[in-house]
Amino acid sequence: QVQLVESGGDLVQPGGSLRLSCAASGTIFSIYAMGWYRQAPGKQRELVAHILSGGTTYYTDSVKGRFTISRDNAKSTVYLQMNGLKPEDTAVYYCNAVRIPTMTPLWRSWGQGTQVTVSS
């Protein structure tokens, strides 16, 4: 069974930066497209960035130019570098594999997520 462990969330001021990490186990990590999702209070979970197995990256419009997704297949880990954080980025962030082309989560199991709060 796939296990996902997210980390790196924190309380930061607007304009600040964070780097999130997600370590996966129980799967052949390198073959999957991986994504970062977030869920704000009262909102649906949304995919904000994903990276294909070959390294091509995609971002939702609201984070383009501010967030960078990367992966280290040797460590079965996906990262999200977040710069220029805004209050609207406040959410719990999760990772999961991404089903192409529907962009829906592939794995049924989720990690505990990591809380990102952007506030002055």
Side-chain angles (χ1 to χ4, degrees), residues 16-78:
S17 298
L18 284 174
R19 189 191 193 209
L20 307 183
S21 300
C22 171
S25 60
T27 184
I28 306 174
F29 177 85
S30 61
I31 69 173
Y32 294 105
M34 292 297 300
W36 279 97
Y37 299 77
R38 67 185 180 189
Q39 186 166 21
K43 295 188 177 181
Q44 287 191 329
R45 192 172 296 178
E46 64 168 337
L47 177 63
V48 298
H50 69 281
I51 182 167
L52 303 184
S53 58
T56 303
T57 58
Y58 300 87
Y59 302 91
T60 193
D61 286 346
S62 62
V63 308
K64 279 181 183 176
R66 300 188 298 121
F67 290 9
T68 303
I69 188 171
S70 61
R71 64 192 297 161
D72 184 337
N73 290 335
K75 296 182 178 179
S76 296
T77 299
V78 61

